[in-house]
Amino acid sequence: MRELTSQKMRALSPEMDPLRIGTGWTPEDLAKPQILIESTAGDSHPGSVHLDRLAEAVREGVARAGGYGARYTCTDICDGESQGTDGINYSLASREIIANMIEIHAGATPFDAGVYLASCDKGMPANLMGLMRADIPAVVVPGGTMNAGPEMLTLEQLGMYSARYERGEIGREKLDWAKRNACPGCGACSFIGTASTMQIMAEALGLALPGSALMPASSPDLLDCARQAGGRAVEMAGCEAMRPSRIVTMESFENAILVHAAISGSSNCLLHLPAIAHELGIEITGDTFDRLHRGALYLLDVRPAGRWPAECFYYAGGVPAVMEQIRNRLHLDVMTVTGKTLGENLEKLRQDGFYERCAGRLAEFNARYGCSLTGQDIIRPAQAPLGTNGSIAVLKGNLAPEGAVIKHTACPPEMMRAVLRARPFDSEEACLAAVLRHEVKKGDAVFIRYEGPRGSGMPEMFYTTEAISSDKELGRTIALITDGRFSGASTGPVIGHCSPEAADGGPIALVEQGDLIEIDVAARRLDIVGVAGERKTPEEIDAILARRRAAWRPRDPKYTKGVLRLFSALAASPMKGAYLDYDTLRR
């Protein structure tokens, strides 16, 4: 019989039993394995509004297995609802605060295992960070994806509709139709954005039950998965070998990054996986992503880079189907929350008819939309990939010594190698206004700076990227470069996470109007190569940048109190994950 932490703590804290009885526990419940059910449930957005129902299903599974489940919540915000306002500046910081609250919940009161439920951009990585800190046996339940709307409409298309409306290309009636139908129900937005990517990463790391990532939130399959997760948590309770710190290794992260390449995952994953790894003392950087994406297969034909809504991912076999296509590059011997290795999990799914059940769901989707899709239309076979060099590249050079990120699968070929004229802006608002007024011209390298973690909290440049990528000329003739980040739905010639950021005096802060900017994705280079439209030697550029740096002065902090003051003071470099770097306090 395993010794349960909760029972030891009952002996140390005489107040625990009466307080829990007052909460609704029975005396019999007190002696059972005690399971923390942590979620981002709340009325904050479609990705979290249904998690209370999933938490109840987890609790049911826990009870069936002989445990007692206690529900804790710390809801997340919605990047989509905050877009275009200063509210988006809270987004990345919220990841840290939710992780802190999970640490507090698990640290202040003893539990024997945990189940963690989240769906979306910051809630899922925050839960993954928090469960690493708690380091009790843990199972993740990804909250699933919403169904597509009529005409397979999905939310990431709304930015395009909005930009077309602003340019007078469509009327208000069409824009209102898109707004009313883009989110027909609960779950994460139905494209491979950050929310979908991070659900997939949870499973790829071995922390969620096999095949559970990105199920449709409306599916009874997801409720069954939640019940199974609750039962599994009771089985794991008190088992040292099932602690996340014992399960998740560098090899687990390498598996996840190879899956990230195969799905053309969100560039924001380069903020989240390094931050999650940091909790375990494992170093993941942009260079890790770049190394593993080189030569990696890109297989997933799902929006925004592909054709189909994200609910199709599960119908095609989900993470296991992706892993089967790239299994020759995976570490199949890594441990997972099932108590079996990854390779053993994949074999069991084949034997249990998992893929046949998925095909049945795909048939229902085909009937709904009048399609005739097969699983291989959605997750391409390794013999016929969409690409053979992953989806992410990390560019370096005198403009980004620590690196900058481009999702090259969403970039037009004209911008894979180009020399452009710099057009710097010190905020997204100023840049977006210039784009919409047609003041940005063909051949410009548009810069948005002072939008990194220390500058403003690292908001997404969503509306600006949509305004550019939806413009038939600009979308193929300019590039957007920023120390901020992008929505997982962003497409087009966009380069983000430029590090060091402007607020730290990075070279992006030194760019002036008319500088020549060279982008070479194949060579992984991002450089200032000229001034005032005239090319210079590398030595001349170094001297010019040195003079500009000597004249540069840091700005006063944008925030003087509250969460954003804390985040902007302590955030690590974007290329390290932008986590709160407490070593800063000792400098």
Side-chain angles (χ1 to χ4, degrees), residues 7 30 64 113 120 175 180 184 267 284 293 317 319 340 399 401 412 437 444 502 538 569 579:
Q7 302 309 310
L30 296 170
R64 288 179 182 177
C120 285
L175 178 61
R180 288 193 299 269
S267 60
I284 302 288
H293 272 247
V319 173
K340 298 180 174 63
L399 183 51
R437 289 196 301 262
D444 283 347
Y579 51 79

Side-chain angles (χ1 to χ4, degrees), residues 40 42-49 75-92 94-95 98 119-123 146 155 183 187-189 191 195 460 462-463 485 487:
T40 57
D43 291 335
S44 47
H45 55 85
S48 285
V49 71
T75 198
D76 50 354
I77 65 169
C78 179
D79 286 12
E81 293 182 21
S82 301
Q83 290 290 2
T85 75
D86 284 345
I88 192 66
N89 296 347
Y90 285 96
S91 174
L92 188 55
S94 74
R95 181 192 70 181
I98 295 170
S119 301
C120 285
D121 300 44
K122 307 307 170 301
M146 69 173 64
L155 185 65
C183 294
C189 298
F191 53 87
E460 295 176 351
F462 180 68
Y463 286 124
R485 61 189 179 90
S487 164

Side-chain angles (χ1 to χ4, degrees), residues 255-272:
N255 285 347
I257 293 170
L258 287 167
V259 171
H260 179 268
I263 66 170
S264 187
S266 167
S267 60
N268 285 318
C269 194
L270 277 81
L271 292 167
H272 300 319

Side-chain angles (χ1 to χ4, degrees), residues 166-372:
E166 292 290 340
R167 289 196 293 265
E169 297 171 4
I170 61 172
R172 167 62 68 176
E173 183 178 354
K174 189 65 175 179
L175 178 61
D176 287 345
W177 172 86
K179 287 182 177 181
R180 288 193 299 269
N181 291 284
C183 294
C186 60
C189 298
S190 193
F191 53 87
I192 301 298
T194 309
S196 299
T197 298
M198 294 312 300
Q199 289 192 40
I200 291 168
M201 292 297 97
E203 182 178 337
L205 286 169
L207 291 170
L209 296 180
S212 63
L214 223 57
M215 290 178 172
S218 59
S219 170
D221 297 349
L222 186 53
L223 286 171
D224 289 342
C225 173
R227 294 185 190 99
Q228 292 171 27
R232 178 59 188 153
V234 175
E235 294 172 354
M236 297 164 66
C239 179
E240 289 291 319
M242 287 290 100
R243 292 180 182 270
S245 61
R246 301 283 293 274
I247 291 176
V248 181
T249 63
M250 183 65 182
E251 288 73 23
S252 307
F253 282 102
E254 289 182 348
N255 285 347
I257 293 170
L258 287 167
V259 171
H260 179 268
I263 66 170
S264 187
S266 167
S267 60
N268 285 318
C269 194
L270 277 81
L271 292 167
H272 300 319
L273 280 189
I276 295 163
H278 176 73
E279 299 293 342
L280 295 176
I282 297 173
E283 185 177 36
I284 302 288
T285 67
D287 291 340
T288 316
F289 277 83
D290 192 79
R291 171 175 60 84
L292 291 168
H293 272 247
R294 290 177 185 263
L297 296 180
Y298 161 37
L299 302 172
L300 188 61
D301 198 356
V302 169
R303 299 170 183 171
R307 293 177 291 173
W308 310 112
E311 64 176 290
C312 293
F313 179 72
Y314 172 59
Y315 305 150
V319 173
V322 171
M323 287 181 158
E324 288 287 4
Q325 297 302 321
I326 61 172
R327 64 180 296 146
N328 63 323
R329 293 195 64 182
L330 298 176
H331 303 283
L332 297 173
D333 58 347
V334 296
M335 184 53 61
T336 71
V337 293
T338 65
K340 298 180 174 63
T341 67
L342 172 59
E344 291 170 336
N345 287 342
L346 293 176
E347 180 60 31
K348 189 173 189 301
L349 288 172
R350 285 195 297 270
Q351 294 174 354
D352 289 349
F354 170 75
Y355 297 107
E356 289 77 10
R357 291 193 295 275
C358 290
R361 300 298 189 195
L362 181 57
E364 295 170 4
F365 177 86
N366 282 334
R368 192 194 327 158
Y369 287 106
C371 301
S372 56

Side-chain angles (χ1 to χ4, degrees), residues 6 9-10 13-21 30 34 109-110:
S6 61
M9 291 302 296
R10 288 179 66 200
S13 175
E15 294 90 350
M16 182 173 291
D17 283 4
L19 287 168
R20 285 190 162 173
I21 289 171
L30 296 170
Q34 296 173 11
T109 312

